[in-house]
Amino acid sequence: MITNIKNRDEIEDKYKWDLGAMYKDPAEVDQDLARIKELLEQFKGFSGKLNDKETILQALILQDQSDQLMEKCFTYAHMKLDEDNSNSAALALFDRVKSLYVTYNETTSFFIPELMKLDYSVLESYAQDERFKDYRHFIKEIGRNKEHVLSDAEEKIISAFGEVAGAPKNIFQILNNADLKFGEVKDENNQPVQLTHGRYNKLIQSKNREVRKSAYNELYRVYRSFKNTIGQTYINSVKKDCLYARLRKYNSALEASTFADNVDVAVYNNLIKTIRDNVSLLHRYIDFRKQVLQLPELRMYDLYVPLVTELDKKYSYEEAVDIVLKGLAKLGDQYISDLKQGLAGGWVDVYETPGKTSGAYSTGAYGYHPYILLNFNHTINDVFTLAHEAGHAMHTFYSHKNQPYRNASYTIFVAEVASTLNENLLIKYLLEQTNDNKEKLFLLNYNLEQFRTTVFRQTMFAEFEKIVHEQVEQGVSLTPDLLCEIYYDLNKFYYQGVTMDDEIALEWARIPHFYNAFYVYKYATGFSAAVALANGILTGGQEALARYLEFLASGGKDYPIELLRQAGVDMATPKPIEDCLKSFAENLQLATKLV
């Protein structure tokens, strides 16, 4: 059992990912960077000449070659740096790769606009050629987006404003991450600590209510003092979204956003309506929290404290792997065999070491196996993290194995499905394996909190975004006070049973996702799809499993709604959300019986 943070060279190789599968030596990356530059020079030659089938095919093949090589270099370089962010050689390598990546995007930027100018019926005829089979979805996208592409002169003007358009997001990031300074609060030992974003996330879960309250009030004291600055920054971000949508001939900023995934606006609206219609389930959960915590009233700073302290159990990494493999057994022998081989075959970087990037993620480059970064600390939460990242990795593994490069990448809309499904299967397995009521309540609390924060909270965020963008589109003058009023009213509706305070009206001011408009709803839809698919696999047998495995192997060969529909979940209807909420209600009922 590892109890102290060791240096990287003290960690056994079996606990480190094997980047040698891509490059035996970092110096080899520079050889590929030189090769990419050569390919870019060749690609430049297609500019202004994309006017016949053979030339377009050659350009597509060359773009795939250079794209794939660029992806390999970038993936390797960022993982090498993530091993140790203080490694100057790795930092220099990543800088060289990033620099070429910028040049790469600039050099190839002519390609899609030139294809857009062509008669789409001609491109469609080219797509019938068997040599274009890997590019048929790409060509379909050209036709779908054509009506929203402007003239050359207009496109150049919009492109020139790209950096200015990104200003609200950049300003918020700098303000939020560098300039905002919080004061001191007292910790559980009554010792003063400097409040930071990271410490807030820990303190808000403290068993000591005064610690939670103090951290909460201090955080929002600072955001209140910057309310007008952050408010104007966000308002300008909303105005930018609405302006771009109008210029590109969309009916709304929401439509412009969902169009990218070929998702009807009705999917977004269905999510909000279905959650609103069933919000009483959240109110029941709030009452349950109040009962378990034995509080006369529940405040917003009481929502994150665990109902059960983390289990005393500690797990070795080998034990975690064994639990995950057993927990995912319903996914079939082949899935388990592939995952087991990967977890033992250089996919995973397990332990925290000095300078290593925090958190967890899964990544990969086409043509090579996926990778998982962990900072394993032997807790049950780390076991769930392994299952989660394994879901991403296997989605990537099967997509890359079964799809050509052009169709191998899946979209954000479906990105969290495989990972969340794994966590749901693991929860079910662990609940079946224990007779300890405390452990059962811990597991159910973990799961219920996922529902609350991913389905209910993200939907509330999505509704806030919808309202504020509609206000601008209707000519209403947004102000920081109006943002606070809208946000406060939403919290009042969603969190009925919680005693409201003025501080929560400012929460919108600290949410970075709002600067990527209409993004957060995908967390809620993805979670709902995962729950529906997991339930289907547990009750539907081999047919449901076969459809799900086909989904994992589909990458981005079709639009996300279609891929999920083929897997057995129709996100164009409210049913997956309703079924997800039924699971929430069932788990809440189980939890209430344990208290």
Side-chain angles (χ1 to χ4, degrees):
M1 194 76 72
I2 297 174
T3 55
N4 297 313
I5 297 177
K6 294 183 177 180
N7 290 323
R8 190 165 185 84
D9 58 8
E10 297 176 294
I11 302 290
E12 292 180 69
D13 285 345
K14 66 180 180 178
Y15 298 122
K16 294 187 281 193
W17 55 25
D18 177 20
L19 299 189
M22 287 193 285
Y23 293 105
K24 297 296 182 187
D25 189 294
E28 296 175 7
V29 180
D30 287 307
Q31 296 173 17
D32 274 351
L33 294 179
R35 175 60 180 153
I36 291 169
K37 290 175 184 176
E38 293 173 2
L39 293 173
L40 281 181
E41 284 302 313
Q42 293 179 40
F43 198 77
K44 281 181 188 177
F46 289 106
S47 181
K49 299 177 182 176
L50 298 173
N51 45 30
D52 67 87
K53 181 163 71 170
E54 296 304 320
T55 303
I56 292 171
L57 181 60
Q58 290 172 30
L60 285 167
I61 292 171
L62 183 59
Q63 189 184 46
D64 279 0
Q65 291 173 352
S66 54
D67 263 10
Q68 197 171 331
L69 207 52
M70 190 76 248
E71 180 185 274
K72 179 187 175 186
C73 290
F74 190 91
T75 302
Y76 176 88
H78 92 69
M79 284 196 296
K80 196 66 186 171
L81 182 60
D82 286 343
E83 290 179 355
D84 181 2
N85 285 272
S86 67
N87 184 331
S88 57
L91 181 58
L93 175 65
F94 189 50
D95 283 344
R96 291 197 298 277
V97 172
K98 280 198 302 181
S99 177
L100 181 59
Y101 187 67
V102 171
T103 303
Y104 181 87
N105 286 332
E106 290 174 352
T107 305
T108 59
S109 63
F110 72 88
F111 187 54
I112 290 179
E114 280 199 26
L115 291 179
M116 291 278 191
K117 292 179 193 173
L118 300 175
D119 185 333
Y120 179 61
S121 63
V122 174
L123 278 178
E124 268 190 312
S125 69
Y126 293 167
Q128 303 313 306
D129 188 320
E130 188 64 16
R131 294 175 298 166
F132 279 82
K133 67 178 181 179
D134 293 347
Y135 304 107
R136 284 169 184 162
H137 186 66
F138 170 76
I139 288 172
K140 188 190 295 186
E141 276 293 89
I142 295 290
R144 200 173 68 87
N145 284 274
K146 196 175 176 72
E147 65 179 297
H148 300 292
V149 175
L150 309 178
S151 69
D152 285 355
E154 290 168 325
E155 286 291 344
K156 283 179 181 177
I157 292 170
I158 288 180
S159 179
F161 275 93
E163 192 171 349
V164 175
K169 181 178 181 180
N170 293 334
I171 291 168
F172 174 76
Q173 285 178 334
I174 292 169
L175 180 63
N176 198 44
N177 297 319
D179 292 347
L180 287 189
K181 303 298 179 189
F182 305 100
E184 287 186 345
V185 296
K186 297 288 182 67
D187 66 10
E188 291 86 347
N189 300 315
N190 205 33
Q191 295 299 308
V193 294
Q194 181 70 42
L195 186 66
T196 63
H197 289 295
R199 284 188 183 138
Y200 176 77
N201 291 332
K202 182 180 178 184
L203 293 169
I204 200 68
Q205 297 181 55
S206 172
K207 278 289 183 182
N208 186 319
R209 199 179 191 211
E210 283 305 310
V211 170
R212 302 197 299 269
K213 180 180 178 181
S214 176
Y216 178 83
N217 287 336
E218 173 59 20
L219 184 88
Y220 286 109
R221 179 191 68 78
V222 174
Y223 277 103
R224 183 174 298 282
S225 68
F226 284 90
K227 178 183 77 173
N228 292 319
T229 301
I230 297 176
Q232 288 305 321
T233 303
Y234 179 56
I235 289 165
N236 277 284
S237 182
V238 174
K239 287 180 176 178
K240 176 262 299 179
D241 297 333
C242 298
L243 175 61
Y244 270 56
R246 193 164 67 249
L247 290 174
R248 292 202 175 279
K249 304 170 188 173
Y250 293 100
N251 293 316
S252 66
L254 174 57
E255 183 185 82
S257 177
T258 59
F259 183 86
D261 287 320
N262 198 25
V263 171
D264 195 285
V265 170
V267 173
Y268 196 100
N269 293 330
N270 273 341
L271 171 68
I272 294 173
K273 183 180 186 304
T274 306
I275 295 300
R276 275 189 156 262
D277 288 347
N278 293 276
V279 76
S280 60
L281 287 173
L282 178 58
H283 301 160
R284 278 169 50 194
Y285 176 57
I286 288 167
D287 289 341
F288 175 65
R289 286 190 68 85
K290 183 177 172 183
Q291 174 195 343
V292 175
L293 293 173
Q294 297 181 332
L295 294 172
E297 61 177 10
L298 206 68
R299 295 276 186 169
M300 296 306 291
Y301 48 77
D302 297 320
L303 291 176
Y304 291 91
V305 58
L307 299 181
V308 179
T309 54
E310 177 131 6
L311 304 175
D312 292 333
K313 286 185 180 181
K314 294 294 179 184
Y315 303 84
S316 69
Y317 177 65
E318 286 75 14
E319 287 171 331
V321 169
D322 185 58
I323 291 168
V324 168
L325 292 174
K326 287 177 179 175
L328 303 183
K330 293 286 187 182
L331 294 178
D333 293 343
Q334 189 62 55
Y335 184 101
I336 296 302
S337 175
D338 289 338
L339 177 56
K340 185 176 182 180
Q341 186 175 345
L343 295 180
W347 286 19
V348 191
D349 207 76
V350 180
Y351 294 114
E352 181 181 6
T353 51
K356 182 178 174 181
T357 294
S358 61
Y361 67 69
S362 175
T363 189
Y366 189 80
Y368 301 89
H369 65 67
Y371 290 91
I372 295 172
L373 179 138
L374 298 176
N375 282 276
F376 192 81
N377 200 33
H378 310 289
T379 69
I380 187 65
N381 283 341
D382 293 314
V383 179
F384 278 106
T385 299
L386 174 60
H388 182 100
E389 298 306 334
H392 286 307
M394 293 301 285
H395 196 176
T396 299
F397 178 73
Y398 286 129
S399 289
H400 286 192
K401 184 178 179 181
N402 291 281
Q403 297 301 325
Y405 176 72
R406 184 69 61 156
N407 295 335
S409 296
Y410 45 86
T411 69
I412 295 295
F413 191 90
V414 298
E416 292 299 325
V417 171
S419 54
T420 306
L421 180 139
N422 278 11
E423 288 199 68
N424 273 275
L425 292 179
L426 183 58
I427 281 275
K428 300 275 189 185
Y429 169 77
L430 290 172
L431 284 170
E432 291 170 357
Q433 297 303 305
T434 183
N435 293 314
D436 184 331
N437 283 350
K438 181 183 177 184
E439 187 172 352
K440 283 185 177 181
L441 187 56
F442 175 86
L443 292 167
L444 287 168
N445 176 222
Y446 177 92
N447 190 239
L448 291 168
E449 274 298 286
Q450 282 189 310
F451 276 97
R452 182 183 74 80
T453 57
T454 309
V455 179
F456 290 104
R457 188 166 186 253
Q458 301 296 334
T459 300
M460 185 184 77
F461 284 174
E463 187 169 2
F464 174 74
E465 288 188 279
K466 184 173 186 282
I467 291 169
V468 296
H469 282 80
E470 285 176 346
Q471 294 280 290
V472 169
E473 287 163 348
Q474 292 165 9
V476 175
S477 180
L478 278 183
T479 65
D481 286 337
L482 181 55
L483 292 174
C484 288
E485 182 184 326
I486 293 167
Y487 198 83
Y488 184 87
D489 287 344
L490 284 171
N491 271 275
K492 212 167 151 187
F493 174 79
Y494 279 84
Y495 288 100
Q496 185 179 313
V498 177
T499 302
M500 286 291 138
D501 50 56
D502 291 339
E503 281 76 17
I504 197 59
L506 285 154
E507 188 180 38
W508 60 267
R510 56 180 288 253
I511 309 298
H513 282 90
F514 287 162
Y515 294 85
N516 293 326
F518 307 111
Y519 175 87
V520 295
Y521 89 101
K522 298 175 189 179
Y523 288 120
T525 54
F527 189 96
S528 299
V531 170
L533 289 169
N535 289 342
I537 290 167
L538 290 169
T539 60
Q542 289 304 306
E543 184 182 345
L545 175 59
R547 287 200 305 264
Y548 176 65
L549 294 177
E550 179 61 30
F551 162 77
L552 293 184
S554 296
K557 74 174 185 178
D558 206 340
Y559 297 111
I561 290 287
E562 284 304 313
L563 293 176
L564 287 171
R565 188 175 284 132
Q566 291 159 24
V569 177
D570 189 354
M571 295 307 297
T573 72
K575 189 175 187 306
I577 314 293
E578 292 169 347
D579 289 346
C580 177
L581 293 172
K582 284 179 187 174
S583 291
F584 175 79
E586 289 167 3
N587 288 349
L588 179 57
Q589 184 64 28
L590 286 173
T592 57
K593 291 178 180 178
L594 297 173
V595 177

